[in-house]
Amino acid sequence: MRKIIFVFGLLLLATTFLIGLPAHYQAYALSGCCKQRDSYRSRWYKNGMSFDECRKSNERDKDELFDESGFFWWDVECR
C-alpha cells in the first residue's frame, strides 16, 4: 500500500512539474517592453506594443527580436 501511494505521489509531482514548466518560459518571454527607433543613429524609445505586435513588426528587420539591433527590440529588462 505504501508503494502505491509513493508511486502515485511521484507521478503527481512529475505531472505538476511538466505542466508548470512551459508557463514559466512564456511568462519570461512576455516580461519586458517593445522598443523601436526611427534610424540606426536614433535612440530607442518604448512604443507600447505587445510582444506579438513587436515580433510581427520585427519581421522586416530579419534579425533576432531579443538583440538590440535593427529597428525593433524586445527589452526583457525594460530599461
Coordinates of all heavy atoms in Angstrom, one line a residue:
M1 N 0.8 -1.2 0.0 CA 0.0 0.0 0.0 C 0.9 1.3 0.0 O 0.6 2.2 -0.7 CB -0.9 -0.1 1.2 CG -1.9 1.1 1.3 SD -3.1 1.0 0.0 CE -4.1 2.3 0.4
R2 N 2.0 1.2 0.8 CA 2.8 2.4 0.8 C 3.5 2.6 -0.5 O 3.7 3.8 -0.9 CB 3.9 2.2 1.9 CG 3.4 2.3 3.3 CD 4.5 2.3 4.3 NE 3.9 2.4 5.6 CZ 4.7 2.3 6.7 NH1 6.0 2.2 6.6 NH2 4.1 2.4 7.9
K3 N 3.9 1.6 -1.2 CA 4.5 1.7 -2.6 C 3.5 2.4 -3.5 O 3.9 3.2 -4.3 CB 4.9 0.3 -3.1 CG 6.1 -0.2 -2.4 CD 6.6 -1.5 -3.0 CE 7.8 -2.1 -2.4 NZ 8.3 -3.3 -2.9
I4 N 2.3 2.0 -3.5 CA 1.3 2.6 -4.4 C 1.1 4.1 -4.1 O 1.1 4.9 -5.1 CB -0.1 1.9 -4.3 CG1 0.1 0.4 -4.8 CG2 -1.2 2.6 -5.0 CD1 -1.2 -0.4 -4.5
I5 N 1.1 4.5 -2.9 CA 1.0 5.9 -2.5 C 2.2 6.6 -2.9 O 2.2 7.8 -3.5 CB 0.7 6.0 -1.0 CG1 -0.7 5.5 -0.7 CG2 0.8 7.5 -0.6 CD1 -1.0 5.4 0.8
F6 N 3.4 6.0 -2.7 CA 4.7 6.6 -3.1 C 4.7 6.9 -4.6 O 5.1 7.9 -5.1 CB 5.8 5.8 -2.6 CG 7.2 6.3 -3.0 CD1 7.7 7.5 -2.3 CD2 7.9 5.8 -4.0 CE1 8.9 8.0 -2.6 CE2 9.2 6.3 -4.3 CZ 9.7 7.4 -3.6
V7 N 4.4 5.8 -5.4 CA 4.4 5.9 -6.9 C 3.4 7.0 -7.3 O 3.7 7.8 -8.2 CB 4.2 4.6 -7.5 CG1 3.9 4.7 -9.0 CG2 5.3 3.6 -7.2
F8 N 2.2 7.0 -6.8 CA 1.2 8.0 -7.1 C 1.7 9.4 -6.8 O 1.5 10.3 -7.6 CB -0.1 7.7 -6.4 CG -1.2 8.6 -6.7 CD1 -1.8 8.6 -8.0 CD2 -1.6 9.6 -5.8 CE1 -2.8 9.5 -8.3 CE2 -2.6 10.5 -6.1 CZ -3.2 10.4 -7.4
G9 N 2.3 9.6 -5.7 CA 2.9 10.9 -5.3 C 4.0 11.3 -6.3 O 4.0 12.5 -6.7
L10 N 4.8 10.4 -6.7 CA 5.9 10.8 -7.7 C 5.3 11.1 -9.1 O 5.7 12.1 -9.7 CB 6.9 9.6 -7.9 CG 7.9 9.4 -6.8 CD1 8.7 8.2 -7.0 CD2 8.7 10.6 -6.6
L11 N 4.3 10.4 -9.5 CA 3.6 10.7 -10.7 C 2.9 12.1 -10.7 O 3.0 12.9 -11.6 CB 2.6 9.6 -11.1 CG 3.2 8.3 -11.6 CD1 2.1 7.3 -11.8 CD2 3.9 8.5 -12.9
L12 N 2.3 12.4 -9.6 CA 1.6 13.7 -9.4 C 2.6 14.8 -9.4 O 2.4 15.8 -10.0 CB 0.8 13.7 -8.1 CG 0.0 14.9 -7.8 CD1 -1.1 15.1 -8.9 CD2 -0.6 14.8 -6.4
L13 N 3.8 14.6 -8.7 CA 4.8 15.6 -8.7 C 5.4 15.8 -10.1 O 5.6 17.0 -10.5 CB 5.9 15.2 -7.7 CG 7.1 16.1 -7.6 CD1 6.6 17.4 -6.9 CD2 8.2 15.5 -6.7
A14 N 5.7 14.8 -10.8 CA 6.2 14.9 -12.2 C 5.3 15.6 -13.1 O 5.7 16.4 -13.9 CB 6.6 13.5 -12.7
T15 N 4.0 15.2 -13.0 CA 3.0 15.9 -13.9 C 2.9 17.4 -13.6 O 2.8 18.2 -14.5 CB 1.6 15.2 -13.7 OG1 1.8 13.8 -13.9 CG2 0.6 15.8 -14.6
T16 N 2.9 17.7 -12.3 CA 2.8 19.1 -11.9 C 4.0 19.9 -12.4 O 3.9 21.0 -12.9 CB 2.7 19.3 -10.4 OG1 1.6 18.5 -9.9 CG2 2.6 20.7 -10.0
F17 N 5.2 19.3 -12.3 CA 6.4 20.0 -12.8 C 6.4 20.2 -14.3 O 6.7 21.2 -14.8 CB 7.6 19.1 -12.4 CG 8.9 19.7 -13.0 CD1 9.5 20.8 -12.4 CD2 9.5 19.0 -14.0 CE1 10.7 21.3 -12.9 CE2 10.7 19.5 -14.5 CZ 11.3 20.7 -13.9
L18 N 6.0 19.1 -15.1 CA 5.9 19.2 -16.5 C 4.9 20.2 -17.0 O 5.1 20.9 -18.1 CB 5.7 17.9 -17.2 CG 6.9 16.9 -17.0 CD1 6.6 15.5 -17.5 CD2 8.2 17.4 -17.7
I19 N 3.8 20.3 -16.4 CA 2.7 21.3 -16.8 C 3.1 22.7 -16.5 O 2.9 23.6 -17.2 CB 1.4 20.9 -16.1 CG1 0.8 19.6 -16.7 CG2 0.4 22.0 -16.2 CD1 -0.4 19.1 -16.0
G20 N 3.8 22.9 -15.3 CA 4.2 24.2 -14.9 C 5.4 24.8 -15.6 O 5.6 26.0 -15.7
L21 N 6.2 23.9 -16.2 CA 7.5 24.3 -16.8 C 7.2 25.2 -18.1 O 7.8 26.3 -18.1 CB 8.3 23.1 -17.2 CG 9.7 23.3 -17.7 CD1 10.5 24.0 -16.6 CD2 10.4 22.0 -18.0
P22 N 6.4 24.9 -19.0 CA 6.2 25.8 -20.2 C 5.7 27.1 -19.8 O 6.0 28.1 -20.4 CB 5.3 25.0 -21.1 CG 5.4 23.6 -20.7 CD 5.7 23.6 -19.2
A23 N 4.8 27.2 -18.8 CA 4.3 28.5 -18.4 C 5.3 29.4 -17.9 O 5.3 30.6 -18.1 CB 3.2 28.3 -17.4
H24 N 6.4 28.9 -17.3 CA 7.5 29.7 -16.8 C 8.2 30.4 -17.9 O 8.5 31.6 -17.8 CB 8.4 28.9 -15.9 CG 9.7 29.6 -15.5 ND1 9.7 30.6 -14.6 CD2 10.9 29.4 -16.0 CE1 10.9 31.0 -14.5 NE2 11.7 30.4 -15.3
Y25 N 8.5 29.7 -19.0 CA 9.2 30.3 -20.1 C 8.4 31.3 -20.8 O 8.9 32.3 -21.3 CB 9.7 29.2 -21.1 CG 10.8 28.4 -20.5 CD1 10.6 27.0 -20.3 CD2 12.0 28.9 -20.2 CE1 11.7 26.2 -19.8 CE2 13.0 28.2 -19.7 CZ 12.9 26.8 -19.5 OH 13.9 26.1 -19.0
Q26 N 7.1 31.1 -21.0 CA 6.2 32.0 -21.6 C 6.1 33.3 -20.8 O 6.2 34.4 -21.4 CB 4.8 31.4 -21.8 CG 4.8 30.3 -22.8 CD 3.4 29.6 -22.9 OE1 2.5 29.9 -22.1 NE2 3.3 28.7 -23.8
A27 N 6.0 33.2 -19.5 CA 6.0 34.4 -18.7 C 7.3 35.2 -18.8 O 7.3 36.4 -18.8 CB 5.7 34.0 -17.2
Y28 N 8.4 34.5 -18.9 CA 9.7 35.2 -19.0 C 9.8 35.9 -20.3 O 10.2 37.1 -20.4 CB 10.9 34.2 -18.9 CG 12.2 34.9 -19.1 CD1 12.7 35.7 -18.1 CD2 12.9 34.7 -20.2 CE1 13.9 36.3 -18.2 CE2 14.2 35.3 -20.4 CZ 14.7 36.1 -19.4 OH 15.9 36.7 -19.6
A29 N 9.3 35.3 -21.4 CA 9.4 35.9 -22.7 C 8.5 37.2 -22.8 O 8.8 38.1 -23.5 CB 9.0 34.9 -23.8
L30 N 7.3 37.1 -22.1 CA 6.4 38.2 -22.2 C 6.7 39.4 -21.2 O 6.2 40.4 -21.3 CB 5.0 37.7 -22.0 CG 4.5 36.8 -23.0 CD1 3.1 36.3 -22.7 CD2 4.5 37.4 -24.4
S31 N 7.7 39.2 -20.3 CA 8.0 40.3 -19.5 C 9.0 41.2 -20.3 O 9.8 40.8 -21.1 CB 8.7 39.8 -18.2 OG 9.9 39.2 -18.5
G32 N 8.8 42.5 -20.0 CA 9.7 43.4 -20.7 C 8.8 44.4 -21.5 O 7.6 44.5 -21.3
C33 N 9.4 45.1 -22.5 CA 8.6 46.0 -23.3 C 9.3 46.1 -24.7 O 10.5 45.8 -24.9 CB 8.6 47.4 -22.7 SG 10.2 48.1 -22.4
C34 N 8.5 46.5 -25.7 CA 8.9 46.7 -27.0 C 9.5 48.1 -27.2 O 8.9 49.1 -26.8 CB 7.8 46.5 -28.0 SG 8.3 46.5 -29.7
K35 N 10.7 48.1 -27.9 CA 11.3 49.4 -28.1 C 11.6 49.5 -29.6 O 11.8 48.5 -30.3 CB 12.6 49.6 -27.4 CG 12.3 49.7 -25.9 CD 13.6 50.1 -25.2 CE 13.4 50.3 -23.7 NZ 14.6 50.6 -23.0
Q36 N 11.6 50.7 -30.1 CA 11.9 50.9 -31.6 C 12.7 52.2 -31.7 O 12.8 53.0 -30.8 CB 10.6 51.0 -32.4 CG 9.9 52.3 -32.4 CD 8.7 52.2 -33.3 OE1 7.7 51.6 -33.0 NE2 8.7 52.9 -34.4
R37 N 13.3 52.3 -32.9 CA 14.0 53.5 -33.2 C 13.7 53.8 -34.7 O 13.4 53.0 -35.5 CB 15.5 53.4 -32.9 CG 16.2 52.3 -33.7 CD 17.6 52.2 -33.3 NE 18.3 51.1 -33.9 CZ 19.5 50.7 -33.6 NH1 20.3 51.5 -32.8 NH2 20.1 49.7 -34.2
D38 N 13.8 55.1 -35.1 CA 13.5 55.5 -36.4 C 14.7 55.4 -37.4 O 14.4 55.2 -38.6 CB 13.0 57.0 -36.4 CG 11.8 57.2 -35.5 OD1 10.9 56.3 -35.6 OD2 11.7 58.2 -34.8
S39 N 15.9 55.4 -36.9 CA 17.1 55.1 -37.7 C 18.1 54.5 -36.9 O 18.0 54.4 -35.6 CB 17.6 56.4 -38.3 OG 18.1 57.3 -37.3
Y40 N 19.2 54.0 -37.5 CA 20.2 53.3 -36.7 C 21.0 54.3 -35.8 O 21.6 53.9 -34.8 CB 21.2 52.7 -37.7 CG 20.7 51.4 -38.3 CD1 20.3 51.4 -39.6 CD2 20.5 50.3 -37.5 CE1 19.8 50.2 -40.2 CE2 19.9 49.1 -38.1 CZ 19.6 49.1 -39.4 OH 19.1 48.0 -40.0
R41 N 20.9 55.6 -36.0 CA 21.6 56.6 -35.2 C 20.7 57.2 -34.1 O 21.1 57.8 -33.2 CB 22.1 57.7 -36.0 CG 23.2 57.3 -37.0 CD 23.8 58.4 -37.7 NE 24.8 57.9 -38.6 CZ 25.8 58.7 -39.1 NH1 25.7 60.0 -38.8 NH2 26.7 58.2 -39.8
S42 N 19.4 56.9 -34.2 CA 18.5 57.5 -33.2 C 18.4 56.6 -32.0 O 18.8 55.5 -32.0 CB 17.1 57.7 -33.8 OG 16.5 56.5 -34.2
R43 N 17.8 57.2 -30.9 CA 17.7 56.5 -29.6 C 16.5 55.6 -29.6 O 15.5 55.8 -30.3 CB 17.6 57.5 -28.5 CG 18.8 58.4 -28.4 CD 18.5 59.4 -27.3 NE 18.3 58.7 -26.0 CZ 19.0 58.9 -24.9 NH1 19.9 59.9 -24.9 NH2 18.7 58.3 -23.8
W44 N 16.6 54.5 -28.8 CA 15.5 53.6 -28.6 C 14.4 54.3 -27.7 O 14.7 55.0 -26.8 CB 15.9 52.3 -27.9 CG 16.8 51.5 -28.6 CD1 18.2 51.4 -28.5 CD2 16.5 50.6 -29.7 NE1 18.7 50.5 -29.4 CE2 17.6 50.0 -30.1 CE3 15.3 50.2 -30.3 CZ2 17.7 49.0 -31.1 CZ3 15.3 49.3 -31.3 CH2 16.4 48.7 -31.7
Y45 N 13.1 54.0 -28.0 CA 12.0 54.5 -27.2 C 10.9 53.4 -27.1 O 10.8 52.6 -28.0 CB 11.4 55.8 -27.7 CG 10.9 55.7 -29.1 CD1 9.5 55.4 -29.3 CD2 11.6 56.0 -30.3 CE1 8.9 55.4 -30.6 CE2 11.1 55.9 -31.5 CZ 9.8 55.6 -31.7 OH 9.2 55.6 -33.0
K46 N 10.2 53.4 -26.0 CA 9.1 52.5 -25.8 C 8.0 52.9 -26.7 O 7.6 54.0 -26.7 CB 8.7 52.4 -24.4 CG 9.8 52.0 -23.4 CD 9.3 52.1 -22.0 CE 10.4 51.9 -21.0 NZ 10.0 52.1 -19.6
N47 N 7.4 51.9 -27.4 CA 6.3 52.2 -28.3 C 4.9 51.6 -27.8 O 3.9 51.8 -28.4 CB 6.6 51.7 -29.7 CG 6.8 50.2 -29.7 OD1 6.6 49.4 -28.8 ND2 7.4 49.7 -30.9
G48 N 4.9 50.9 -26.7 CA 3.7 50.3 -26.1 C 3.1 49.1 -26.9 O 2.0 48.7 -26.6
M49 N 3.8 48.5 -27.8 CA 3.3 47.3 -28.5 C 3.4 46.1 -27.6 O 4.3 46.0 -26.7 CB 4.2 47.1 -29.7 CG 4.0 48.0 -30.8 SD 5.1 47.5 -32.2 CE 4.7 48.7 -33.4
S50 N 2.5 45.2 -27.8 CA 2.6 43.9 -27.2 C 3.7 43.0 -27.8 O 4.3 43.4 -28.8 CB 1.2 43.1 -27.3 OG 1.1 42.7 -28.7
F51 N 4.0 41.9 -27.2 CA 5.0 41.0 -27.6 C 4.8 40.6 -29.1 O 5.7 40.6 -29.9 CB 5.2 39.8 -26.7 CG 6.3 38.9 -27.2 CD1 7.6 39.2 -27.0 CD2 6.0 37.7 -27.8 CE1 8.7 38.4 -27.4 CE2 7.0 36.8 -28.2 CZ 8.3 37.2 -28.0
D52 N 3.5 40.1 -29.4 CA 3.2 39.7 -30.7 C 3.3 40.8 -31.7 O 3.8 40.6 -32.8 CB 1.8 39.1 -30.7 CG 1.7 37.7 -30.0 OD1 2.8 37.0 -30.0 OD2 0.7 37.4 -29.4
E53 N 2.8 42.0 -31.4 CA 2.9 43.1 -32.3 C 4.4 43.5 -32.6 O 4.8 43.8 -33.7 CB 2.2 44.3 -31.7 CG 0.7 44.2 -31.6 CD 0.1 45.3 -30.9 OE1 0.7 45.9 -29.9 OE2 -1.1 45.7 -31.2
C54 N 5.2 43.4 -31.6 CA 6.6 43.7 -31.7 C 7.3 42.7 -32.6 O 8.1 43.0 -33.4 CB 7.3 43.8 -30.3 SG 8.9 44.5 -30.3
R55 N 7.0 41.4 -32.4 CA 7.6 40.3 -33.2 C 7.2 40.5 -34.6 O 8.0 40.3 -35.5 CB 7.1 39.0 -32.6 CG 7.8 37.8 -33.3 CD 7.3 36.5 -32.8 NE 5.9 36.4 -33.3 CZ 4.9 35.8 -32.6 NH1 5.2 35.2 -31.5 NH2 3.7 35.7 -33.1
K56 N 5.9 40.8 -34.9 CA 5.5 41.0 -36.3 C 6.1 42.2 -37.0 O 6.5 42.1 -38.1 CB 4.0 41.1 -36.4 CG 3.2 39.8 -36.1 CD 1.7 40.0 -36.1 CE 1.1 38.7 -35.7 NZ -0.4 38.8 -35.6
S57 N 6.3 43.3 -36.2 CA 7.0 44.5 -36.8 C 8.5 44.2 -37.0 O 9.1 44.8 -37.9 CB 6.8 45.6 -35.8 OG 5.5 46.0 -35.6
N58 N 9.1 43.3 -36.2 CA 10.5 43.0 -36.4 C 10.7 42.1 -37.6 O 11.9 41.9 -38.0 CB 11.0 42.3 -35.1 CG 12.5 42.1 -35.1 OD1 13.2 43.1 -35.3 ND2 12.9 40.9 -35.0
E59 N 9.7 41.5 -38.2 CA 9.9 40.6 -39.3 C 10.6 41.3 -40.5 O 11.4 40.7 -41.3 CB 8.6 40.0 -39.8 CG 8.1 39.0 -38.8 CD 6.7 38.4 -39.2 OE1 6.2 38.9 -40.2 OE2 6.2 37.6 -38.5
R60 N 10.4 42.6 -40.6 CA 11.1 43.3 -41.8 C 12.6 43.4 -41.5 O 13.4 43.6 -42.4 CB 10.5 44.7 -42.0 CG 10.8 45.7 -40.9 CD 10.2 47.0 -41.2 NE 10.5 47.9 -40.1 CZ 10.8 49.2 -40.3 NH1 10.7 49.7 -41.5 NH2 11.1 49.9 -39.3
D61 N 13.0 43.4 -40.2 CA 14.5 43.5 -39.9 C 15.2 42.3 -40.2 O 16.4 42.3 -40.5 CB 14.7 43.9 -38.4 CG 14.2 45.3 -38.1 OD1 14.1 46.1 -39.0 OD2 14.0 45.6 -36.9
K62 N 14.5 41.1 -40.1 CA 15.2 39.8 -40.3 C 16.4 39.6 -39.3 O 17.4 39.1 -39.7 CB 15.6 39.6 -41.7 CG 14.5 39.6 -42.7 CD 14.9 39.3 -44.1 CE 13.6 39.2 -44.9 NZ 13.6 39.8 -46.2
D63 N 16.2 40.0 -38.1 CA 17.2 39.8 -37.0 C 16.5 39.3 -35.8 O 15.3 39.1 -35.8 CB 17.9 41.1 -36.7 CG 17.1 42.2 -36.1 OD1 15.8 42.0 -36.1 OD2 17.6 43.2 -35.7
E64 N 17.2 39.0 -34.8 CA 16.7 38.4 -33.5 C 16.0 39.5 -32.7 O 16.6 40.6 -32.5 CB 17.9 37.8 -32.7 CG 17.5 37.3 -31.4 CD 16.5 36.1 -31.4 OE1 16.6 35.3 -32.3 OE2 15.6 36.1 -30.6
L65 N 14.8 39.3 -32.3 CA 14.0 40.3 -31.6 C 14.6 40.7 -30.3 O 14.5 41.8 -29.8 CB 12.6 39.8 -31.4 CG 11.6 40.7 -30.7 CD1 11.4 42.0 -31.5 CD2 10.2 40.0 -30.5
F66 N 15.3 39.7 -29.6 CA 15.9 40.0 -28.3 C 17.2 40.6 -28.4 O 17.8 40.9 -27.3 CB 15.9 38.7 -27.5 CG 14.6 38.1 -27.2 CD1 14.1 37.0 -27.9 CD2 13.8 38.6 -26.2 CE1 12.8 36.5 -27.7 CE2 12.5 38.1 -26.0 CZ 12.0 37.1 -26.7
D67 N 17.8 40.8 -29.6 CA 19.1 41.5 -29.7 C 18.8 43.0 -30.0 O 17.9 43.4 -30.7 CB 19.9 41.0 -30.9 CG 20.4 39.6 -30.6 OD1 20.5 39.2 -29.4 OD2 20.7 38.8 -31.5
E68 N 19.6 43.8 -29.4 CA 19.5 45.3 -29.6 C 20.1 45.7 -30.9 O 21.1 46.3 -31.1 CB 20.2 46.0 -28.4 CG 19.9 47.5 -28.3 CD 20.5 48.1 -27.0 OE1 21.0 47.3 -26.1 OE2 20.5 49.3 -26.9
S69 N 19.3 45.4 -32.0 CA 19.7 45.7 -33.3 C 18.5 46.0 -34.2 O 17.4 45.7 -33.7 CB 20.6 44.6 -33.9 OG 19.8 43.4 -34.0
G70 N 18.7 46.5 -35.4 CA 17.5 46.7 -36.3 C 16.7 47.9 -35.8 O 17.2 48.8 -35.1
F71 N 15.4 47.9 -36.1 CA 14.5 49.0 -35.7 C 13.6 48.6 -34.6 O 13.0 49.5 -33.9 CB 13.7 49.4 -36.9 CG 14.5 50.1 -38.0 CD1 14.9 49.4 -39.1 CD2 15.0 51.4 -37.8 CE1 15.7 49.9 -40.1 CE2 15.8 52.0 -38.8 CZ 16.1 51.2 -39.9
F72 N 13.4 47.3 -34.3 CA 12.6 46.8 -33.2 C 13.3 45.9 -32.3 O 14.1 45.1 -32.8 CB 11.3 46.1 -33.7 CG 10.4 47.1 -34.4 CD1 10.5 47.3 -35.8 CD2 9.4 47.7 -33.7 CE1 9.6 48.1 -36.5 CE2 8.5 48.6 -34.4 CZ 8.6 48.8 -35.7
W73 N 13.1 46.0 -31.0 CA 13.8 45.3 -30.0 C 12.9 45.0 -28.8 O 12.3 45.9 -28.3 CB 15.1 46.0 -29.6 CG 15.8 45.6 -28.4 CD1 16.1 44.3 -28.0 CD2 16.3 46.4 -27.3 NE1 16.8 44.3 -26.9 CE2 16.9 45.6 -26.4 CE3 16.3 47.8 -27.1 CZ2 17.6 46.0 -25.3 CZ3 16.9 48.2 -25.9 CH2 17.5 47.4 -25.0
W74 N 12.9 43.7 -28.3 CA 12.2 43.4 -27.1 C 13.1 43.4 -26.0 O 14.0 42.6 -25.8 CB 11.5 42.0 -27.2 CG 10.6 41.8 -26.0 CD1 10.9 41.0 -24.9 CD2 9.3 42.3 -25.8 NE1 9.9 41.1 -24.1 CE2 8.9 41.8 -24.6 CE3 8.4 43.1 -26.6 CZ2 7.6 42.1 -24.1 CZ3 7.2 43.4 -26.1 CH2 6.8 42.9 -24.8
D75 N 13.0 44.5 -25.1 CA 13.9 44.6 -24.0 C 13.3 43.9 -22.8 O 12.3 44.3 -22.2 CB 14.0 46.1 -23.7 CG 15.0 46.4 -22.6 OD1 15.7 45.5 -22.1 OD2 15.2 47.6 -22.3
V76 N 13.9 42.8 -22.4 CA 13.4 42.0 -21.3 C 13.5 42.7 -20.0 O 12.8 42.4 -19.0 CB 14.0 40.6 -21.3 CG1 13.6 39.8 -22.5 CG2 15.5 40.6 -21.1
E77 N 14.4 43.6 -19.8 CA 14.6 44.3 -18.6 C 13.8 45.6 -18.6 O 13.7 46.3 -17.6 CB 16.1 44.6 -18.3 CG 16.9 43.3 -18.1 CD 18.4 43.6 -18.0 OE1 18.8 44.7 -18.0 OE2 19.1 42.6 -17.8
C78 N 13.4 46.0 -19.8 CA 12.6 47.3 -20.0 C 13.4 48.5 -19.3 O 12.8 49.2 -18.5 CB 11.2 47.2 -19.4 SG 10.1 48.3 -20.2
R79 N 14.6 48.6 -19.7 CA 15.5 49.7 -19.2 C 15.0 51.0 -19.7 O 14.6 51.2 -20.8 CB 16.9 49.5 -19.5 CG 17.5 48.2 -19.1 CD 18.9 48.1 -19.5 NE 19.0 47.0 -20.5 CZ 19.8 46.9 -21.5 NH1 20.7 47.9 -21.7 NH2 19.8 45.9 -22.3

